[in-house]
Amino acid sequence: MWARTVRLGLRARLGGCRGFTFKVDPQGTGQVTAELIEHLERLALVDFGGREAVARLEKAIAFADRLRGVDTDGVEPMESVLEDRCLYLRSDNVTEGNCAEELLQNSHRVVEEYFVAPPGNISLAKLNEQEPPPRG
Amino acid sequence: MAAPMLRWGCAGRRWAFACVDGGSRHGLGARNDFTLSGMRGQSSLALQPLITAQKPRKGEHEWAAVVGLEIHAQISSNSKLFSGSQVHFAAPPNSLVSFFDASLPGTLPVLNRRCVEAAVMTGLALNCRINKKSLFDRKHYFYADLPAGYQITQQRLPIAVNGSLTYGVCLGKKRRQVITKMVRIKQIQLEQDSGKSLHDDLRSQTLIDLNRAGVGLLEVVMEPDMTCGEEAATAVRELQLILQALGTSQANMAEGQLRVDANVSVHHPGEPFGVRTEVKNLNSARFLAKAIDYEIQRQINELENGGEILNETRSFDSTLGCTVPMRDKEGKQDYRFMPEPNLPPLVLYDAASLPAGADSRQVINIDYIRERLPELPSVTREKLIEQYGMLPEHSFTLLNEAGLLEFFQNVIKETRAEPKVVTSWVLNIFLGYLKQQSLAVSESPITPSALAELLTLLDGKVISSSAAKQVFEELWKSKSKTAAQIVSEKKLELMQDLEALEQLCQAIMEGHPQVVMDLKKGNLKAINKLIGLVRKATLDRADPTVIKKILEEKLSS
């Protein structure tokens, strides 16, 4: 799962990167720093586990880096594999909803008809403190 | 006083005003030299001379503030942006939620045509360039009211860009003068709204209602062309009026249909823009200007005291009347934008590019929409000025007060009185009574017909102007009586018997020879005393202009 996220981010970066901020390797040494791992873990809520996982990540980056060998000068980047498809437009009618009971069944905890969540976000680095961190 | 005076400028205030280069160095990259229907890469701010309230002492600086806005308007539609669940303000929690809104696996977004049309209409009304191809992206962040873990938005290529919004700021002591200002619209994009969180601090939990999750939003980004809270509030008000006129959003701030975030920074004129802060939680028009002005002053105070401004997000606390930091110092959010893989590019057409034989339900023709745009507020105002000869500031007041324009037009329809009289009565007396009792037009005890009748009586010289005001007061209190009834009950009709009036004037003149002498000596103002005496004698049932005429005739003879 994490590998796919990394690869998608890289593809965007190599493709010309309009507005994407995924900074993988500023030095170009192919090394993934501890800072970056911490950053990724916090962003994507994944647990790299150990050194093995980081090594795998570095190999994946190196593998994807081979794309740089392709000459893409003057080629318009592809934004979506669906670029030739028509985007279907739905009429503005109410056709769904009214299934609160069904949906609430999925929730671990429910209060009246509300889903229950822990207060705010719990930052990975500060699991002991109850600080409300960034709200997107 | 040793410490320098802290002043910053804003049109209409008496402090120093700075001429600011309206560039986008406010964190938005280099300024582009684009054409906006005639305007070439110019600063869009009204260029005003540097005015100082007092002679600048050594070490005293002027400050210029820069305000940009990000406005989210809920699209007025039956169903949500990417799903068929209903859009409605008050409903039992989680009852208006589809499987897609709850982000259940296997569900896919399906774009609502009405939302696209709303975006195109709004873009056209704001003079934007409509992008014939726009793209959808995912903006990732984790929060309980965002079940998918990302919001579908348009970050790379939004549906409309490079527009402008013109608004009028009322200046002067009595706000008589209207100055038009313009703010550039950077872009308009379609995006999803998130659900609602109810924080239960007592039990340390958050209750989530997803009814709002997935509702279509129009995000309107305004460039930092504004300089103070009043300008920002006026621009927002104008946008509200436009959205309501178009029908694309009800833009009711109280119901959360219009949400505004402000980007505020200060700098010395001529120097680069300062560090900006983002102020969120501006949920009412009243607090919008207050919060922005507070933040501007806070930044000035901080910098004058040698501190620095952090690029942070702050929230406006309405009870304390100040802004407080909102997020902790974890650094900038990384939203990991990526193209939305489930949606192809959104392609729009115009009359020229429309493919032949295309299904009309599956294509959107920009020209078709442009031809059918409803009348915009600025046009409505122009028409009022032209048709009724009213002053610009009157047209602004008529449109700014909800329901007032309709009231005014209904009175005009039913009365024989001159439009100028109607304007004056509606804007001064009627509105005055409403404001005094904090009532909305919809709560008015007087109907347009009742006022129309009263003004017709006034126009026909059946009653005097002051009598009319008395009748108005009565109408306001008693809802069942008509103007005519009140007039006859209180015997407020103007004296029609000219002969009797002449006799009365003669009597008054004979009774006050000193005043007559005074007049004949050349003190023309003394006639007012006579008029007053006659009015008293007639129990104010005579028209002062007629009295004056009679007196003047008698005096000259």
Side-chain angles (χ1 to χ4, degrees):
Chain A
M1 180 62 189
W2 54 265
R4 210 174 76 211
T5 319
V6 170
R7 255 183 265 134
L8 280 169
L10 281 172
R11 203 175 287 141
R13 181 177 78 98
L14 296 168
C17 203
R18 273 179 281 145
F20 287 86
T21 55
F22 195 108
K23 292 188 251 299
V24 175
D25 198 359
Q27 269 82 37
T29 56
Q31 284 232 305
V32 172
T33 62
E35 256 176 347
L36 179 61
I37 296 295
E38 203 187 302
H39 185 60
L40 286 174
E41 284 187 334
R42 203 179 311 128
L43 276 186
L45 290 185
V46 297
D47 183 7
F48 272 83
R51 182 62 222 165
E52 209 181 75
V54 178
R56 224 178 295 141
L57 174 60
E58 286 173 344
K59 285 214 194 102
I61 295 172
F63 177 75
D65 265 349
R66 287 161 63 185
L67 280 172
R68 288 197 220 241
V70 180
D71 179 11
T72 55
D73 278 341
V75 179
E76 211 32 52
M78 173 187 261
E79 289 134 353
S80 161
V81 293
L82 302 170
E83 63 182 17
D84 293 332
R85 301 268 198 116
C86 266
L87 177 51
Y88 178 77
L89 294 172
R90 183 176 55 84
S91 319
D92 187 25
N93 300 319
V94 177
T95 54
E96 306 174 274
N98 272 314
C99 51
E101 216 179 285
E102 255 181 299
L103 293 172
L104 290 166
Q105 275 172 11
N106 280 332
S107 180
H108 175 58
R109 277 178 65 207
V110 160
V111 164
E112 286 172 28
E113 281 164 327
Y114 291 92
F115 293 99
V116 178
N121 272 352
I122 301 170
S123 177
L124 277 184
K126 300 165 184 164
L127 273 170
N128 13 1
E129 298 155 82
Q130 280 283 318
E131 235 172 329
R135 193 315 186 201
Chain B
M1 189 165 100
M5 280 273 287
L6 307 172
R7 289 168 307 167
W8 54 278
C10 173
R13 303 208 181 215
R14 29 176 202 90
W15 297 299
F17 189 95
C19 161
V20 183
D21 176 12
S24 25
R25 275 166 294 169
H26 202 180
L28 296 169
R31 181 158 60 102
N32 305 315
D33 234 281
F34 54 84
T35 325
L36 282 173
S37 45
M39 282 197 66
R40 290 196 163 275
Q42 246 322 343
S43 164
S44 49
L45 292 176
L47 294 170
Q48 302 225 359
L50 211 63
I51 324 153
T52 48
Q54 58 188 70
K55 253 174 109 171
R57 284 176 284 168
K58 235 194 189 166
E60 213 170 87
H61 292 181
E62 284 108 27
W63 288 99
V66 170
V67 180
L69 297 175
E70 278 165 28
I71 300 167
H72 292 88
Q74 246 182 31
I75 299 175
S76 176
S77 61
N78 299 326
S79 55
K80 296 184 180 178
L81 182 58
F82 292 117
S83 68
S85 39
Q86 193 186 13
V87 176
H88 192 71
F89 181 54
N94 293 306
S95 61
L96 307 177
V97 186
S98 67
F99 287 179
F100 171 78
D101 303 328
S103 184
L104 297 192
T107 55
L108 294 171
V110 187
L111 184 55
N112 181 339
R113 187 199 164 85
R114 158 68 185 157
C115 293
V116 182
E117 289 170 346
V120 173
M121 282 173 77
T122 308
L124 290 172
L126 294 176
N127 308 306
C128 296
R129 183 184 77 227
I130 307 293
N131 284 328
K132 294 232 189 75
K133 183 167 95 162
S134 58
L135 306 167
F136 288 101
D137 305 300
R138 288 186 183 180
K139 177 179 176 179
H140 298 81
Y141 63 91
F142 288 109
Y143 207 70
D145 64 18
L146 197 70
Y150 60 85
Q151 174 198 36
I152 300 179
T153 176
Q154 292 188 300
Q155 194 253 5
R156 284 170 297 158
L157 201 55
I159 191 167
V161 291
N162 290 348
S164 65
L165 170 71
T166 319
Y167 59 99
V169 182
C170 295
L171 292 183
K173 257 197 169 157
K174 293 190 180 169
R175 306 173 72 79
R176 287 271 163 80
Q177 213 192 351
V178 176
I179 295 207
T180 26
K181 296 199 180 243
M182 193 191 79
V183 54
R184 289 167 298 161
I185 305 286
K186 178 164 186 249
Q187 64 191 54
I188 298 176
Q189 61 202 54
L190 280 166
E191 56 182 42
Q192 290 174 305
D193 205 346
S194 65
K196 269 216 186 115
S197 323
L198 299 170
H199 298 286
D200 182 358
D201 295 318
L202 209 63
R203 287 176 206 81
S204 210
Q205 61 189 15
T206 303
L207 303 179
I208 306 292
D209 174 13
L210 296 178
N211 281 348
R212 202 184 66 181
V215 171
L217 291 179
L218 286 176
E219 177 171 339
V220 179
V221 182
M222 290 186 182
E223 300 272 24
D225 294 343
M226 294 159 283
T227 61
C228 62
E230 177 164 8
E231 288 185 5
T234 313
V236 168
R237 180 78 187 111
E238 188 66 15
L239 179 65
Q240 254 183 329
L241 291 173
I242 291 175
L243 292 171
Q244 287 164 354
L246 292 173
T248 50
S249 171
Q250 284 162 51
N252 184 334
M253 282 184 94
E255 286 185 11
Q257 291 160 342
L258 192 77
R259 306 192 296 256
V260 183
D261 297 334
N263 294 311
V264 181
S265 76
V266 297
H267 64 281
H268 294 300
E271 288 179 16
F273 285 9
V275 175
R276 66 177 160 110
T277 62
E278 188 183 359
V279 184
K280 290 179 105 81
N281 193 29
L282 301 169
N283 294 332
S284 82
R286 222 176 80 218
F287 294 139
L288 185 69
K290 239 185 173 177
I292 291 174
D293 289 338
Y294 173 87
E295 180 61 17
I296 291 172
Q297 197 57 58
R298 183 195 75 86
Q299 289 193 11
I300 291 175
N301 291 340
E302 185 72 34
L303 291 172
E304 287 277 344
N305 289 330
E308 61 169 11
I309 305 298
L310 298 164
N311 180 357
E312 59 178 352
T313 305
R314 298 176 75 88
S315 170
F316 180 64
D317 186 327
S318 46
T319 37
L320 296 174
C322 64
T323 60
V324 293
M326 215 173 108
R327 306 184 188 184
D328 63 46
K329 296 162 186 163
E330 217 195 87
K332 292 199 77 179
Q333 269 283 0
D334 183 345
Y335 293 115
R336 296 176 294 147
F337 284 100
M338 69 178 247
E340 168 55 58
N342 295 322
L343 293 171
L346 173 61
V347 177
L348 304 173
Y349 301 93
D350 53 24
S353 61
L354 201 62
D359 181 358
S360 61
R361 291 167 303 175
Q362 284 305 312
V363 292
I364 290 186
N365 182 345
I366 300 168
D367 289 332
Y368 181 90
I369 294 175
R370 184 186 283 115
E371 284 159 23
R372 284 157 187 76
L373 274 183
E375 186 176 282
L376 294 180
S378 51
V379 176
T380 309
R381 284 189 208 112
E382 282 301 316
K383 282 191 177 169
L384 286 172
I385 294 170
E386 207 187 287
Q387 208 175 355
Y388 301 122
M390 66 173 70
L391 296 169
E393 64 254 26
H394 295 159
S395 67
F396 272 92
T397 313
L398 269 179
L399 261 71
N400 269 343
E401 196 67 33
L404 192 60
L405 178 62
E406 203 185 318
F407 189 94
F408 170 82
Q409 282 166 332
N410 287 337
V411 175
I412 289 265
K413 257 193 269 184
E414 293 183 42
T415 189
R416 274 200 339 242
E418 296 269 316
K420 288 209 168 158
V421 174
V422 180
T423 308
S424 173
W425 272 79
V426 169
L427 289 181
N428 297 324
I429 299 167
F430 177 64
L431 194 58
Y433 268 74
L434 284 176
K435 290 293 172 197
Q436 210 180 46
Q437 299 177 27
S438 299
L439 292 172
V441 175
S442 52
E443 299 166 313
S444 156
I446 297 191
T447 64
S449 312
L451 183 57
E453 192 198 338
L454 173 59
L455 293 179
T456 302
L457 289 174
L458 178 61
D459 181 67
K461 295 214 188 288
V462 173
I463 49 175
S464 70
S465 176
S466 48
K469 290 192 182 126
Q470 273 182 273
V471 178
F472 186 89
E473 170 106 25
E474 273 308 306
L475 275 176
W476 192 274
K477 288 188 224 157
S478 65
K479 295 160 201 191
S480 48
K481 300 196 197 148
T482 66
Q485 281 175 322
I486 298 172
V487 168
S488 63
E489 269 177 36
K490 299 209 156 194
K491 298 198 200 295
L492 291 167
E493 308 94 331
L494 280 176
M495 276 179 81
Q496 303 297 341
D497 190 351
L498 263 182
E499 221 182 271
L501 189 59
E502 280 183 12
Q503 283 173 3
L504 206 63
C505 288
Q506 188 68 37
I508 295 286
M509 278 173 71
E510 284 167 9
H512 297 83
Q514 329 87 281
V515 186
V516 179
M517 280 263 269
D518 211 7
L519 251 172
K520 294 211 165 142
K521 278 200 197 146
N523 181 8
L524 296 167
K525 290 214 172 153
I527 201 168
N528 291 332
K529 187 156 200 257
L530 287 177
I531 297 175
L533 288 165
V534 175
R535 283 179 74 177
K536 245 200 196 162
T538 61
L539 300 168
D540 208 11
R541 286 177 54 206
D543 188 18
T545 37
V546 176
I547 299 173
K548 190 171 185 196
K549 215 175 82 185
I550 296 174
L551 286 171
E552 281 173 345
E553 272 174 21
K554 290 199 180 286
L555 286 165
S556 56
S557 63

